Every structure is written in C-alpha cells, then in structure tokens.
Amino acid sequence: MVDSDESAGHDLAQRLQRHRHQARAVTTGGAALREHAGAEVVLLNLDLPDLDGLEVCRTIATTCNTPLLAITEHGSELDCVLGLQAGADDYLVKPYGFRELLARVEAVMRRARPAPAPRPSARLGPLTIDQATRVVRLHGRTVALTRKEFDLLHLLASSPGEVVPRYHILQRIWHDTDISRSRTIDTHVNSLRRKLGSTEWITAVRGVGFRLVQA
C-alpha cells in the first residue's frame, strides 16, 4: 500500500492483514519503486509527496507483471483514463468502501496470469514483437509498453489483418466478460497508436473490434 498519509496507510494495512493478506504500507513513490518487486499486488495512491504518481505507476507497469490498483482523490473520467494509460489494472476513487477495495484487489489478483511460454517473434513490416522477452521494436527502436499494452498488441499480432472482437479482447487480456467495461480497450488502443506513431497500425471495425495492419 503506497499512501502519503502514514496513519491511513498503516490502518489500511492492518485491516487487510485481518482479512488474511500480508500487507505493509510505504509513504513515498521512491519507497514504492524500491519495494514493489516482492508484492503480489500494489495499491498506489497517485497523490505522492516526492514523485509523480502516474510516473511511478508507469514505471512499475513497465518493469514487472505485478497487478496494480491505482487510487485517486479525483473521480473525473480524465483521471481514470490517465491511470489506466499509465498501466494500472484498475482504479478506485476516494472515498471508497473497504469491501469494494477488497473485491477489486481480489479481482486484479485473480486476473493476473503467469508469464506465457516463450514463442517466436511476431513481425509485421518494421514492427517486431518478441513474446519471449516482451520487447517491441519499430524500425529497430524499442517501444516502451505497459504489460496490458504488450498483451493487447501481441494478441492483435497473432492474427494480423484479422478482426479481433471486443469481447474476445476483454476475455483474453482482462479476463472479463462485461462488455460494458470495454472502454478500457479503446484507452489502451489509443495509447498503442500514439506509441507506434500512427493511428493506422490499429484499425477499428465499428461495433466489432480491432485489427493490426501495417501502417
């Protein structure tokens, strides 16, 4: 649990421990970056005293497979979208109920998957996607992606040119069957387009899904 309010973080850690979670609290982004590697899930309050919470979120998401639940003081759509784009698997808006927190923690942990067995690289023109190392290169340059962005791109690349339905993406990447939550797919697609430098890499088929084509 990463929260600048030491008392609140300590109290929450104790409540989580009473529900059979081994939990500990830190108060800074620097401590989060040093200590997140041993965690099974990270609860990250984006309002931090030393570092930009979104940058901390992005760093954790791009360096490990630990599920991350972002906590924000603001409930605007933009705040939630920014958290998801930075690599959060889910988010909570303060004030929230403890039962909701528990449910979301259990959900992101349930969705977490072990790393898949290495497969040969997928290649589409100048774009190379290496499943073994989880490295993406475009024209020979490495493209930094979050865990979910890589999984989404690799799924689309497994059938280049073919439309992958939204419900299939939601099931495979987010282990979710509620199509009403598929807006998160659009958020990640837009982020991928931006990082790949063109909207033409991923095309939308209205009412169906997305496909990967050479830009």
Short mmCIF file of all heavy atoms in Angstrom, two decimals, residues 33 44 46 52-64 66-71 77-91 144-150 174 184 187-192 194-195:
data_model
loop_
_atom_site.label_atom_id
_atom_site.label_comp_id
_atom_site.label_asym_id
_atom_site.label_seq_id
_atom_site.Cartn_x
_atom_site.Cartn_y
_atom_site.Cartn_z
N LEU A 33 8.98 2.25 -5.56
CA LEU A 33 9.83 1.75 -6.63
C LEU A 33 10.89 0.79 -6.11
O LEU A 33 11.30 -0.14 -6.81
CB LEU A 33 10.49 2.92 -7.36
CG LEU A 33 9.54 3.84 -8.14
CD1 LEU A 33 10.30 5.00 -8.76
CD2 LEU A 33 8.79 3.06 -9.21
N LEU A 44 -1.73 1.80 -5.12
CA LEU A 44 -0.95 3.02 -5.28
C LEU A 44 -1.84 4.25 -5.29
O LEU A 44 -2.61 4.47 -6.23
CB LEU A 44 -0.15 2.96 -6.59
CG LEU A 44 0.63 4.20 -6.99
CD1 LEU A 44 1.76 4.46 -6.00
CD2 LEU A 44 1.19 4.05 -8.40
N LEU A 46 -2.17 7.83 -6.14
CA LEU A 46 -1.42 8.62 -7.12
C LEU A 46 -0.97 9.98 -6.59
O LEU A 46 -0.13 10.63 -7.22
CB LEU A 46 -2.28 8.81 -8.38
CG LEU A 46 -2.63 7.52 -9.14
CD1 LEU A 46 -3.54 7.83 -10.31
CD2 LEU A 46 -1.38 6.80 -9.61
N ASP A 52 5.79 12.00 -9.22
CA ASP A 52 4.52 11.98 -9.93
C ASP A 52 3.94 10.57 -9.85
O ASP A 52 4.56 9.60 -10.29
CB ASP A 52 4.77 12.38 -11.39
CG ASP A 52 3.49 12.43 -12.22
OD1 ASP A 52 2.44 11.96 -11.74
OD2 ASP A 52 3.55 12.95 -13.35
N GLY A 53 2.74 10.46 -9.28
CA GLY A 53 2.14 9.14 -9.10
C GLY A 53 1.94 8.39 -10.41
O GLY A 53 2.09 7.16 -10.45
N LEU A 54 1.62 9.11 -11.48
CA LEU A 54 1.45 8.46 -12.77
C LEU A 54 2.77 7.88 -13.28
O LEU A 54 2.80 6.81 -13.89
CB LEU A 54 0.87 9.43 -13.80
CG LEU A 54 -0.59 9.85 -13.58
CD1 LEU A 54 -0.99 10.94 -14.57
CD2 LEU A 54 -1.53 8.64 -13.71
N GLU A 55 3.87 8.58 -13.04
CA GLU A 55 5.18 8.08 -13.45
C GLU A 55 5.57 6.84 -12.64
O GLU A 55 6.15 5.89 -13.17
CB GLU A 55 6.25 9.17 -13.31
CG GLU A 55 6.19 10.23 -14.39
CD GLU A 55 6.35 9.63 -15.79
OE1 GLU A 55 7.19 8.75 -15.98
OE2 GLU A 55 5.60 10.06 -16.69
N VAL A 56 5.24 6.85 -11.35
CA VAL A 56 5.50 5.67 -10.51
C VAL A 56 4.68 4.50 -11.04
O VAL A 56 5.19 3.38 -11.18
CB VAL A 56 5.15 5.96 -9.04
CG1 VAL A 56 5.26 4.68 -8.20
CG2 VAL A 56 6.07 7.03 -8.48
N CYS A 57 3.42 4.76 -11.35
CA CYS A 57 2.55 3.72 -11.90
C CYS A 57 3.12 3.18 -13.20
O CYS A 57 3.21 1.96 -13.41
CB CYS A 57 1.16 4.31 -12.13
SG CYS A 57 -0.07 3.16 -12.77
N ARG A 58 3.55 4.07 -14.09
CA ARG A 58 4.09 3.67 -15.39
C ARG A 58 5.37 2.85 -15.23
O ARG A 58 5.57 1.85 -15.93
CB ARG A 58 4.34 4.92 -16.23
CG ARG A 58 4.71 4.65 -17.67
CD ARG A 58 4.79 5.94 -18.47
NE ARG A 58 3.46 6.54 -18.60
CZ ARG A 58 3.07 7.67 -17.99
NH1 ARG A 58 3.92 8.32 -17.21
NH2 ARG A 58 1.86 8.14 -18.18
N THR A 59 6.23 3.25 -14.32
CA THR A 59 7.49 2.54 -14.10
C THR A 59 7.24 1.13 -13.60
O THR A 59 7.85 0.16 -14.08
CB THR A 59 8.37 3.30 -13.10
OG1 THR A 59 8.66 4.60 -13.62
CG2 THR A 59 9.67 2.56 -12.84
N ILE A 60 6.34 0.99 -12.63
CA ILE A 60 6.03 -0.35 -12.10
C ILE A 60 5.44 -1.23 -13.19
O ILE A 60 5.80 -2.39 -13.34
CB ILE A 60 5.07 -0.23 -10.90
CG1 ILE A 60 5.77 0.44 -9.71
CG2 ILE A 60 4.55 -1.61 -10.48
CD1 ILE A 60 4.87 0.72 -8.53
N ALA A 61 4.52 -0.65 -13.99
CA ALA A 61 3.84 -1.43 -15.02
C ALA A 61 4.78 -1.90 -16.11
O ALA A 61 4.56 -2.96 -16.71
CB ALA A 61 2.70 -0.61 -15.62
N THR A 62 5.83 -1.13 -16.39
CA THR A 62 6.73 -1.50 -17.49
C THR A 62 7.91 -2.34 -17.03
O THR A 62 8.66 -2.86 -17.87
CB THR A 62 7.29 -0.23 -18.19
OG1 THR A 62 7.89 0.63 -17.23
CG2 THR A 62 6.17 0.51 -18.90
N THR A 63 8.10 -2.50 -15.72
CA THR A 63 9.26 -3.25 -15.24
C THR A 63 8.89 -4.59 -14.61
O THR A 63 9.79 -5.39 -14.33
CB THR A 63 10.06 -2.44 -14.20
OG1 THR A 63 9.20 -2.05 -13.12
CG2 THR A 63 10.66 -1.21 -14.85
N CYS A 64 7.61 -4.85 -14.39
CA CYS A 64 7.23 -6.14 -13.79
C CYS A 64 5.78 -6.45 -14.12
O CYS A 64 5.07 -5.64 -14.71
CB CYS A 64 7.43 -6.11 -12.26
SG CYS A 64 6.22 -5.11 -11.39
N THR A 66 3.49 -7.22 -11.80
CA THR A 66 2.68 -7.10 -10.59
C THR A 66 1.39 -6.33 -10.87
O THR A 66 1.45 -5.20 -11.38
CB THR A 66 3.47 -6.36 -9.49
OG1 THR A 66 4.70 -7.03 -9.26
CG2 THR A 66 2.67 -6.32 -8.19
N PRO A 67 0.22 -6.89 -10.57
CA PRO A 67 -1.03 -6.14 -10.76
C PRO A 67 -1.03 -4.87 -9.92
O PRO A 67 -0.52 -4.85 -8.80
CB PRO A 67 -2.10 -7.13 -10.26
CG PRO A 67 -1.47 -8.47 -10.35
CD PRO A 67 -0.01 -8.25 -10.07
N LEU A 68 -1.61 -3.80 -10.48
CA LEU A 68 -1.57 -2.51 -9.81
C LEU A 68 -2.96 -1.89 -9.79
O LEU A 68 -3.64 -1.81 -10.81
CB LEU A 68 -0.58 -1.59 -10.53
CG LEU A 68 -0.19 -0.30 -9.81
CD1 LEU A 68 1.24 0.09 -10.17
CD2 LEU A 68 -1.13 0.83 -10.15
N LEU A 69 -3.36 -1.47 -8.60
CA LEU A 69 -4.65 -0.81 -8.39
C LEU A 69 -4.37 0.64 -8.02
O LEU A 69 -3.78 0.92 -6.98
CB LEU A 69 -5.42 -1.51 -7.27
CG LEU A 69 -6.81 -1.00 -6.91
CD1 LEU A 69 -7.75 -1.13 -8.10
CD2 LEU A 69 -7.36 -1.78 -5.73
N ALA A 70 -4.74 1.57 -8.91
CA ALA A 70 -4.49 2.99 -8.66
C ALA A 70 -5.63 3.58 -7.84
O ALA A 70 -6.81 3.28 -8.05
CB ALA A 70 -4.37 3.74 -9.99
N ILE A 71 -5.27 4.43 -6.90
CA ILE A 71 -6.25 5.11 -6.05
C ILE A 71 -6.09 6.61 -6.28
O ILE A 71 -4.99 7.14 -6.22
CB ILE A 71 -6.02 4.77 -4.57
CG1 ILE A 71 -6.19 3.26 -4.36
CG2 ILE A 71 -6.99 5.55 -3.67
CD1 ILE A 71 -5.83 2.78 -2.96
N GLU A 77 -13.35 11.48 -15.42
CA GLU A 77 -13.03 10.48 -16.43
C GLU A 77 -11.56 10.59 -16.84
O GLU A 77 -10.88 9.58 -17.03
CB GLU A 77 -13.93 10.67 -17.65
CG GLU A 77 -13.64 9.67 -18.78
CD GLU A 77 -14.51 9.89 -19.99
OE1 GLU A 77 -15.29 10.86 -19.99
OE2 GLU A 77 -14.42 9.09 -20.95
N LEU A 78 -11.06 11.84 -16.94
CA LEU A 78 -9.67 12.03 -17.35
C LEU A 78 -8.70 11.40 -16.37
O LEU A 78 -7.74 10.74 -16.77
CB LEU A 78 -9.37 13.53 -17.48
CG LEU A 78 -7.91 13.88 -17.83
CD1 LEU A 78 -7.53 13.26 -19.17
CD2 LEU A 78 -7.72 15.39 -17.86
N ASP A 79 -8.95 11.56 -15.06
CA ASP A 79 -8.06 10.98 -14.05
C ASP A 79 -8.04 9.45 -14.18
O ASP A 79 -6.97 8.84 -14.07
CB ASP A 79 -8.52 11.37 -12.65
CG ASP A 79 -8.24 12.83 -12.33
OD1 ASP A 79 -7.09 13.26 -12.49
OD2 ASP A 79 -9.18 13.54 -11.95
N CYS A 80 -9.21 8.87 -14.39
CA CYS A 80 -9.28 7.41 -14.52
C CYS A 80 -8.57 6.93 -15.79
O CYS A 80 -7.84 5.93 -15.76
CB CYS A 80 -10.73 6.95 -14.52
SG CYS A 80 -11.62 7.34 -12.99
N VAL A 81 -8.78 7.66 -16.88
CA VAL A 81 -8.13 7.29 -18.15
C VAL A 81 -6.62 7.39 -18.03
O VAL A 81 -5.88 6.51 -18.48
CB VAL A 81 -8.65 8.19 -19.30
CG1 VAL A 81 -7.77 8.04 -20.54
CG2 VAL A 81 -10.09 7.83 -19.64
N LEU A 82 -6.13 8.47 -17.40
CA LEU A 82 -4.68 8.63 -17.23
C LEU A 82 -4.08 7.50 -16.41
O LEU A 82 -2.99 7.01 -16.71
CB LEU A 82 -4.38 9.98 -16.57
CG LEU A 82 -4.62 11.22 -17.43
CD1 LEU A 82 -4.41 12.49 -16.61
CD2 LEU A 82 -3.72 11.23 -18.66
N GLY A 83 -4.80 7.07 -15.37
CA GLY A 83 -4.32 5.96 -14.56
C GLY A 83 -4.23 4.67 -15.36
O GLY A 83 -3.24 3.94 -15.27
N LEU A 84 -5.25 4.39 -16.17
CA LEU A 84 -5.24 3.19 -17.00
C LEU A 84 -4.14 3.27 -18.06
O LEU A 84 -3.46 2.28 -18.34
CB LEU A 84 -6.61 2.99 -17.66
CG LEU A 84 -7.76 2.63 -16.71
CD1 LEU A 84 -9.08 2.66 -17.47
CD2 LEU A 84 -7.54 1.25 -16.09
N GLN A 85 -3.96 4.45 -18.65
CA GLN A 85 -2.91 4.61 -19.66
C GLN A 85 -1.53 4.44 -19.06
O GLN A 85 -0.59 4.01 -19.75
CB GLN A 85 -3.03 5.99 -20.32
CG GLN A 85 -4.20 6.12 -21.27
CD GLN A 85 -4.26 7.48 -21.92
OE1 GLN A 85 -3.81 8.48 -21.34
NE2 GLN A 85 -4.83 7.55 -23.11
N ALA A 86 -1.40 4.77 -17.78
CA ALA A 86 -0.09 4.63 -17.12
C ALA A 86 0.20 3.20 -16.72
O ALA A 86 1.29 2.90 -16.23
CB ALA A 86 -0.04 5.54 -15.88
N GLY A 87 -0.77 2.29 -16.90
CA GLY A 87 -0.51 0.88 -16.64
C GLY A 87 -1.30 0.26 -15.51
O GLY A 87 -1.13 -0.92 -15.21
N ALA A 88 -2.18 1.03 -14.86
CA ALA A 88 -2.99 0.46 -13.78
C ALA A 88 -3.95 -0.58 -14.34
O ALA A 88 -4.48 -0.43 -15.44
CB ALA A 88 -3.76 1.56 -13.05
N ASP A 89 -4.16 -1.65 -13.59
CA ASP A 89 -5.11 -2.68 -14.00
C ASP A 89 -6.54 -2.31 -13.62
O ASP A 89 -7.49 -2.79 -14.22
CB ASP A 89 -4.73 -4.01 -13.34
CG ASP A 89 -3.39 -4.52 -13.83
OD1 ASP A 89 -3.35 -5.08 -14.93
OD2 ASP A 89 -2.39 -4.33 -13.12
N ASP A 90 -6.68 -1.47 -12.62
CA ASP A 90 -7.99 -1.00 -12.17
C ASP A 90 -7.76 0.24 -11.31
O ASP A 90 -6.61 0.62 -11.06
CB ASP A 90 -8.71 -2.09 -11.37
CG ASP A 90 -10.23 -1.91 -11.36
OD1 ASP A 90 -10.71 -0.83 -11.79
OD2 ASP A 90 -10.94 -2.84 -10.92
N TYR A 91 -8.83 0.88 -10.88
CA TYR A 91 -8.67 2.08 -10.07
C TYR A 91 -9.82 2.22 -9.09
O TYR A 91 -10.90 1.63 -9.26
CB TYR A 91 -8.59 3.33 -10.96
CG TYR A 91 -9.82 3.54 -11.83
CD1 TYR A 91 -10.94 4.21 -11.34
CD2 TYR A 91 -9.87 3.05 -13.13
CE1 TYR A 91 -12.06 4.38 -12.12
CE2 TYR A 91 -10.98 3.21 -13.92
CZ TYR A 91 -12.08 3.88 -13.42
OH TYR A 91 -13.19 4.04 -14.18
N ALA A 144 8.50 1.33 -25.55
CA ALA A 144 8.17 1.00 -24.15
C ALA A 144 6.67 0.87 -23.99
O ALA A 144 5.92 1.83 -24.22
CB ALA A 144 8.72 2.07 -23.22
N LEU A 145 6.22 -0.32 -23.59
CA LEU A 145 4.79 -0.58 -23.41
C LEU A 145 4.53 -1.06 -21.99
O LEU A 145 5.38 -1.68 -21.36
CB LEU A 145 4.30 -1.64 -24.40
CG LEU A 145 4.47 -1.36 -25.89
CD1 LEU A 145 3.89 -2.53 -26.69
CD2 LEU A 145 3.79 -0.06 -26.30
N THR A 146 3.31 -0.81 -21.52
CA THR A 146 2.89 -1.39 -20.25
C THR A 146 2.56 -2.86 -20.49
O THR A 146 2.47 -3.34 -21.63
CB THR A 146 1.65 -0.68 -19.68
OG1 THR A 146 0.52 -0.95 -20.53
CG2 THR A 146 1.88 0.82 -19.58
N ARG A 147 2.34 -3.58 -19.40
CA ARG A 147 2.01 -5.01 -19.50
C ARG A 147 0.76 -5.25 -20.36
O ARG A 147 0.76 -6.09 -21.26
CB ARG A 147 1.81 -5.57 -18.10
CG ARG A 147 1.48 -7.06 -18.06
CD ARG A 147 1.40 -7.57 -16.63
NE ARG A 147 0.30 -6.97 -15.88
CZ ARG A 147 0.45 -6.01 -14.97
NH1 ARG A 147 1.64 -5.51 -14.71
NH2 ARG A 147 -0.59 -5.52 -14.33
N LYS A 148 -0.30 -4.50 -20.08
CA LYS A 148 -1.54 -4.70 -20.82
C LYS A 148 -1.40 -4.27 -22.28
O LYS A 148 -1.98 -4.90 -23.17
CB LYS A 148 -2.68 -3.92 -20.16
CG LYS A 148 -3.07 -4.43 -18.78
CD LYS A 148 -3.62 -5.85 -18.84
CE LYS A 148 -4.15 -6.30 -17.48
NZ LYS A 148 -4.56 -7.71 -17.47
N GLU A 149 -0.65 -3.19 -22.53
CA GLU A 149 -0.44 -2.76 -23.90
C GLU A 149 0.29 -3.84 -24.70
O GLU A 149 -0.07 -4.13 -25.85
CB GLU A 149 0.35 -1.45 -23.92
CG GLU A 149 -0.44 -0.25 -23.46
CD GLU A 149 0.43 0.97 -23.23
OE1 GLU A 149 1.68 0.86 -23.31
OE2 GLU A 149 -0.13 2.05 -22.96
N PHE A 150 1.31 -4.45 -24.09
CA PHE A 150 2.03 -5.51 -24.80
C PHE A 150 1.10 -6.69 -25.08
O PHE A 150 1.09 -7.23 -26.19
CB PHE A 150 3.23 -5.99 -23.99
CG PHE A 150 3.99 -7.10 -24.68
CD1 PHE A 150 5.03 -6.81 -25.55
CD2 PHE A 150 3.62 -8.44 -24.50
CE1 PHE A 150 5.70 -7.83 -26.21
CE2 PHE A 150 4.30 -9.45 -25.15
CZ PHE A 150 5.33 -9.15 -26.03
N TRP A 174 -8.18 -9.02 -20.17
CA TRP A 174 -8.64 -8.56 -18.85
C TRP A 174 -9.40 -9.63 -18.07
O TRP A 174 -9.84 -9.39 -16.96
CB TRP A 174 -9.51 -7.31 -19.00
CG TRP A 174 -8.70 -6.07 -19.19
CD1 TRP A 174 -8.20 -5.27 -18.22
CD2 TRP A 174 -8.25 -5.51 -20.43
NE1 TRP A 174 -7.47 -4.24 -18.77
CE2 TRP A 174 -7.48 -4.36 -20.12
CE3 TRP A 174 -8.43 -5.86 -21.78
CZ2 TRP A 174 -6.90 -3.56 -21.11
CZ3 TRP A 174 -7.85 -5.07 -22.74
CH2 TRP A 174 -7.09 -3.95 -22.41
N THR A 184 -12.11 0.47 -21.69
CA THR A 184 -10.68 0.39 -21.36
C THR A 184 -9.87 -0.11 -22.56
O THR A 184 -8.70 0.23 -22.70
CB THR A 184 -10.45 -0.53 -20.14
OG1 THR A 184 -9.10 -0.41 -19.71
CG2 THR A 184 -10.74 -1.98 -20.47
N THR A 187 -8.99 2.89 -24.60
CA THR A 187 -7.92 3.65 -23.95
C THR A 187 -6.56 3.07 -24.30
O THR A 187 -5.61 3.79 -24.63
CB THR A 187 -8.11 3.65 -22.42
OG1 THR A 187 -9.36 4.26 -22.10
CG2 THR A 187 -6.99 4.39 -21.72
N HIS A 188 -6.44 1.75 -24.22
CA HIS A 188 -5.16 1.09 -24.49
C HIS A 188 -4.83 1.12 -25.99
O HIS A 188 -3.66 1.24 -26.36
CB HIS A 188 -5.19 -0.34 -23.97
CG HIS A 188 -5.06 -0.43 -22.48
ND1 HIS A 188 -6.09 -0.12 -21.63
CD2 HIS A 188 -4.01 -0.77 -21.69
CE1 HIS A 188 -5.69 -0.28 -20.38
NE2 HIS A 188 -4.44 -0.67 -20.39
N VAL A 189 -5.84 1.01 -26.85
CA VAL A 189 -5.60 1.11 -28.29
C VAL A 189 -5.07 2.49 -28.65
O VAL A 189 -4.11 2.62 -29.41
CB VAL A 189 -6.90 0.80 -29.08
CG1 VAL A 189 -6.77 1.26 -30.54
CG2 VAL A 189 -7.21 -0.69 -29.05
N ASN A 190 -5.68 3.52 -28.09
CA ASN A 190 -5.21 4.89 -28.37
C ASN A 190 -3.78 5.10 -27.89
O ASN A 190 -2.98 5.77 -28.55
CB ASN A 190 -6.15 5.90 -27.71
CG ASN A 190 -7.49 5.98 -28.40
OD1 ASN A 190 -7.61 5.67 -29.58
ND2 ASN A 190 -8.52 6.39 -27.67
N SER A 191 -3.45 4.52 -26.74
CA SER A 191 -2.09 4.63 -26.23
C SER A 191 -1.11 3.91 -27.15
O SER A 191 -0.01 4.41 -27.44
CB SER A 191 -2.01 4.06 -24.81
OG SER A 191 -0.71 4.19 -24.29
N LEU A 192 -1.48 2.72 -27.63
CA LEU A 192 -0.63 1.98 -28.55
C LEU A 192 -0.42 2.75 -29.85
O LEU A 192 0.70 2.83 -30.37
CB LEU A 192 -1.24 0.62 -28.86
CG LEU A 192 -1.03 -0.48 -27.82
CD1 LEU A 192 -1.88 -1.70 -28.16
CD2 LEU A 192 0.44 -0.87 -27.73
N ARG A 194 -0.47 5.92 -30.28
CA ARG A 194 0.42 7.05 -30.01
C ARG A 194 1.87 6.57 -29.92
O ARG A 194 2.78 7.19 -30.50
CB ARG A 194 0.01 7.72 -28.70
CG ARG A 194 0.93 8.86 -28.27
CD ARG A 194 0.38 9.55 -27.03
NE ARG A 194 0.13 8.61 -25.95
CZ ARG A 194 1.06 8.14 -25.15
NH1 ARG A 194 2.33 8.51 -25.30
NH2 ARG A 194 0.75 7.29 -24.18
N LYS A 195 2.11 5.46 -29.24
CA LYS A 195 3.47 4.97 -29.07
C LYS A 195 4.05 4.41 -30.37
O LYS A 195 5.27 4.44 -30.57
CB LYS A 195 3.51 3.92 -27.96
CG LYS A 195 3.25 4.50 -26.58
CD LYS A 195 3.34 3.45 -25.48
CE LYS A 195 3.13 4.07 -24.11
NZ LYS A 195 3.25 3.08 -23.01
#
